[in-house]
């Protein structure tokens, strides 16, 4: 079998290094920096001819993270790698995935095109905002779920009459999967969003009074969706309120907002690193390094990944 090498941009070097530890290797030698004018500069410092190359970079803001991914892919392709896989633990711009009003872009499709044109021959990602984004690519695409990592952690808690809550319609599928595996019932919050980044809650659909609840979502951005969901559940007299979420984007005042909300604990993963000021006792970070590492290993060995898609 040929060699496997993982090269990472600057977005989440810790997770990339942890994935490499799982694989029993070290990060590939690459310089990802900036020219004096701020443009992204990439240089692979090792020969990768004929190598199975994995380019690792989550694409949360700023857009430099996306640019680094694209430029690294281009460098790998031009350096004659045998195969180039984009490993994107968090796929940014995913929420702009359809024309929901006149004269708006489908940015998720644009990003898919960019990744493909830059040189990716396959993609590995985790908890896409909507699974249909896979169809924006015409190359092999592996879509992992962080659910096994989050559920293992949640199972250790002594819940009483557990209800898993979807904070909006888009999260129902994820919530249903969690409810099934946590042996819990399901509730839903009917949310309407009057304008971008502002959420408004209408109704809790389902019985939560006196129950422990776990709110699940793919990402937390401004924190508005989760904070308002927690307030609504608190008003309905839910007992303990825990949040399980894959991608902690946590922009603007999200951390302060969540800290002040009636939430006992927020469990997230390390697809996006938390800046020191975002590391508060209420937020527990679980690692998806083993899951991503195992997927990379199986892709490299041309083995099935299906048992990881649970
Ligand atoms: C919505 O469709 C997503 O699943 C999240 O609920 C939402 O994007 C989170 O955004 P925010 O934290 O800004 O409310």
């Amino acid at each position: 079998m040929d060699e496997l090498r993982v090269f990472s941009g600057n977005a989440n070097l810790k997770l990339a290094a942890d994935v490499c530890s799982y694989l029993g290797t070290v990060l590939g030698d690459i310089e990802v920096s900036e020219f004096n004018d701020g443009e992204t500069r990439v240089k692979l410092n090792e020969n990768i001819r004929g190598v199975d190359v994995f380019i690792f970079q989550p694409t949360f803001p700023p857009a430099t993270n996306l640019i680094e991914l694209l430029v690294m892919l281009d460098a790998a392709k031009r350096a004659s790698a045998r195969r180039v896989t984009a490993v994107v633990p968090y796929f940014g711009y995913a929420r702009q995935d359809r024309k929901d009003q006149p004269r708006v872009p489908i940015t998720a499709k644009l990003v898919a095109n960019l990744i493909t044109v830059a040189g990716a021959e396959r993609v590995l990602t985790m908890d896409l905002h909507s699974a249909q984004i896979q169809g924006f690519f015409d190359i092999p695409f592996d879509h992992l779920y962080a659910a096994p990592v989050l559920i293992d952690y949640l199972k250790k808690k002594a819940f009483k009459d557990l209800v898993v809550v979807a904070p909006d319609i888009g999260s129902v599928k994820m919530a249903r999967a969690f409810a099934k595996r946590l042996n819990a019932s399901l509730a839903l919050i009917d949310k309407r969003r009057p304008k971008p980044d502002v959420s408004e809650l209408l109704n809790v659909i389902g019985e939560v009074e006196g129950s422990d609840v776990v709110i699940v979502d793919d990402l937390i951005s401004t924190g508005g969706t989760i904070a308002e969901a927690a307030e609504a559940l608190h008003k309905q007299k839910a007992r303990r309120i825990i949040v399980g979420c894959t991608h902690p984007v946590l922009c603007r005042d999200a951390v302060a907002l969540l800290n002040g909300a009636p939430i006992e604990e927020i469990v997230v993963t390390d697809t996006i690193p938390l800046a020191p000021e975002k590391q508060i006792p209420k937020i527990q970070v679980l690692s998806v390094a083993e899951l991503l590492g195992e997927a990379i290993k199986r892709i490299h060995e041309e083995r099935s990944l299906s048992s990881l898609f649970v």
Side-chain angles (χ1 to χ4, degrees):
M1 176 123 341
D2 62 7
E3 206 188 340
L4 170 167
R5 298 294 285 144
V6 179
F7 296 90
S8 176
N10 293 310
N12 196 343
L13 277 163
K14 163 85 170 69
L15 178 58
D18 290 347
V19 166
C20 285
S21 297
Y22 178 83
L23 291 166
T25 184
V26 291
L27 276 170
D29 189 0
I30 188 169
E31 284 170 53
V32 184
S33 58
E34 286 183 351
F35 289 104
N36 288 335
D37 60 1
E39 289 181 354
T40 297
R41 173 180 176 274
V42 164
K43 169 109 174 60
L44 286 152
N45 288 327
E46 58 186 90
N47 175 22
I48 55 163
R49 278 182 190 271
V51 172
D52 193 13
V53 168
F54 293 82
I55 301 290
F56 189 100
Q57 180 90 323
T59 55
F60 56 88
T64 307
N65 289 333
L66 174 61
I67 299 290
E68 283 186 4
L69 170 67
L70 300 174
V71 179
M72 288 189 292
L73 289 168
D74 188 74
K77 177 182 65 176
R78 292 176 195 281
S80 307
R82 179 177 69 75
R83 178 177 61 182
V84 182
T85 300
V87 181
V88 189
Y90 170 68
F91 188 94
Y93 287 99
R95 287 184 286 176
Q96 297 167 48
D97 62 356
R98 64 196 178 284
K99 271 193 81 168
D100 55 354
Q101 20 176 326
R103 300 178 297 281
V104 295
I106 305 180
T107 319
K109 170 63 177 159
L110 170 65
V111 170
N113 287 347
L114 290 170
I115 289 174
T116 309
V117 168
E121 290 160 89
R122 59 184 307 140
V123 176
L124 171 64
T125 189
M126 180 169 275
D127 281 328
L128 282 169
H129 178 62
S130 58
Q132 297 90 314
I133 290 170
Q134 292 169 73
F136 292 174
F137 288 86
D138 286 322
I139 53 179
F141 194 102
D142 293 308
H143 182 205
L144 297 173
Y145 303 101
V149 174
L150 294 168
I151 287 172
D152 272 2
Y153 178 85
L154 292 168
K155 268 187 177 163
K156 293 181 191 128
K157 297 200 168 276
F159 287 125
K160 178 174 159 277
D161 301 327
L162 183 62
V163 181
V164 175
V165 178
D168 58 24
I169 303 284
S171 309
V172 170
K173 197 164 172 242
M174 184 176 181
R176 195 183 294 126
F178 272 63
K180 191 171 168 209
R181 290 164 65 186
L182 288 167
N183 211 8
S185 49
L186 185 66
L188 160 69
I189 291 178
D190 181 22
K191 178 182 86 169
R192 303 283 151 87
R193 196 184 279 281
K195 54 183 179 171
D197 285 342
V198 177
S199 56
E200 180 186 316
L201 294 180
L202 295 181
N203 257 321
V204 178
I205 303 171
E207 191 48 62
V208 294
E209 188 173 336
S211 297
D212 293 341
V213 300
V214 174
I215 308 170
V216 299
D217 212 344
D218 59 324
L219 68 92
I220 305 177
S221 180
T222 63
T225 302
I226 293 294
E228 289 169 33
E231 292 292 352
L233 294 164
H234 184 64
K235 272 195 208 133
Q236 298 287 319
K237 301 193 174 55
R239 215 167 65 99
R240 297 167 69 192
I241 302 175
I242 313 267
V243 175
C245 161
T246 307
H247 308 296
V249 178
L250 299 177
C251 67
R252 299 190 183 174
D253 300 326
V255 171
L257 185 63
L258 295 168
N259 209 18
I263 298 170
E264 177 182 314
E265 185 179 6
I266 300 164
V267 189
V268 298
T269 81
D270 56 355
T271 56
I272 298 174
L274 287 191
E277 69 277 10
K278 294 182 185 171
Q279 296 172 17
I280 58 166
K282 206 185 248 194
I283 301 182
Q284 170 76 32
V285 182
L286 307 178
S287 184
V288 290
E290 286 193 16
L291 197 51
L292 285 167
E294 182 61 25
I296 289 173
K297 188 162 173 257
R298 293 187 191 196
I299 289 170
H300 176 63
E301 294 171 353
E302 309 290 357
R303 287 165 52 213
S304 170
L305 268 71
S306 351
S307 62
L308 303 179
F309 300 147
V310 289

